[in-house]
Amino acid sequence: MKLEENAVAEILKDVLEQGERTQKVIENLERKLEHKDGQITSLIKGFEDRFTNIQVKAPAPDLSPIEDAIASGLTNIIQTIEKNPRPINRQLRLTLFPEQVRNPEYYQVMMRWLVWIVLGSLFMILGYMLLSKRLG
């Protein structure tokens, strides 16, 4: 029994020593962590101080070309206003082909309509002539 008690006592002593060493390592790591935390805090503070004091000074822009363009545009507008207004010419124009649309498909459709209108008109005239001869 005494042997077992000695073995248990030695095991407990080893466990206690191991726990003490672990505690020392943990305390050492906590100190290092606090030191690193202090360093990081000081770095962040230095970074914030550096970037809060930044002042960007842009050179004054050269607006003389823009001012010249505006002035010349205004003089043109004033000269146009000072001239007498042109008379409005109203024209009644019937265009078969519009001036803005230049698609070949439009021309084909319009020519097809024109051919059908001419053929229809010719058919109606001939029909009228035939009916007037028969009835008259």
Side-chain angles (χ1 to χ4, degrees), residues 10-51:
E10 274 195 41
I11 292 174
L12 287 176
K13 192 178 190 183
D14 286 343
V15 168
L16 182 64
E17 287 176 2
Q18 183 67 30
E20 288 175 353
R21 281 184 275 165
T22 305
Q23 188 65 30
K24 286 181 183 177
V25 169
I26 289 173
E27 288 173 358
N28 188 18
L29 289 175
E30 284 178 349
R31 273 189 258 116
K32 287 181 181 178
L33 184 63
E34 288 174 3
H35 179 70
K36 292 291 182 184
D37 190 36
Q39 286 179 345
I40 290 173
T41 304
S42 65
L43 285 174
I44 289 174
K45 185 173 182 195
F47 182 76
E48 288 174 352
D49 291 341
R50 216 175 336 154
F51 283 103

Side-chain angles (χ1 to χ4, degrees), residues 93-109:
R93 296 180 4 178
L94 178 65
T95 57
L96 188 59
F97 301 107
E99 297 170 359
Q100 289 84 15
V101 180
R102 303 228 189 275
N103 291 337
E105 293 86 12
Y106 182 80
Y107 291 113
Q108 291 172 355
V109 168

Side-chain angles (χ1 to χ4, degrees), residues 13-134:
K13 192 178 190 183
D14 286 343
V15 168
L16 182 64
E17 287 176 2
Q18 183 67 30
E20 288 175 353
R21 281 184 275 165
T22 305
Q23 188 65 30
K24 286 181 183 177
V25 169
I26 289 173
E27 288 173 358
N28 188 18
L29 289 175
E30 284 178 349
R31 273 189 258 116
K32 287 181 181 178
L33 184 63
E34 288 174 3
H35 179 70
K36 292 291 182 184
D37 190 36
Q39 286 179 345
I40 290 173
T41 304
S42 65
L43 285 174
I44 289 174
K45 185 173 182 195
F47 182 76
E48 288 174 352
D49 291 341
R50 216 175 336 154
F51 283 103
T52 54
N53 296 332
I54 288 179
Q55 294 178 356
V56 177
K57 294 181 182 178
D62 183 23
L63 299 176
S64 59
I66 296 171
E67 291 171 354
D68 294 340
I70 290 173
S72 67
L74 286 176
T75 55
N76 289 340
I77 290 172
I78 291 170
Q79 289 173 357
T80 305
I81 290 173
E82 289 176 351
K83 291 181 183 177
N84 292 333
R86 296 182 189 165
I88 297 174
N89 296 329
R90 294 182 184 240
Q91 296 177 348
L92 179 62
R93 296 180 4 178
L94 178 65
T95 57
L96 188 59
F97 301 107
E99 297 170 359
Q100 289 84 15
V101 180
R102 303 228 189 275
N103 291 337
E105 293 86 12
Y106 182 80
Y107 291 113
Q108 291 172 355
V109 168
M110 290 304 291
M111 293 306 282
R112 191 176 307 134
W113 283 6
L114 185 64
V115 167
W116 283 111
I117 289 172
V118 168
L119 287 176
S121 300
L122 186 62
F123 178 74
M124 288 174 60
I125 292 171
L126 288 176
Y128 176 74
M129 290 172 59
L130 283 174
L131 283 174
S132 66
K133 281 186 181 181
R134 285 253 181 201

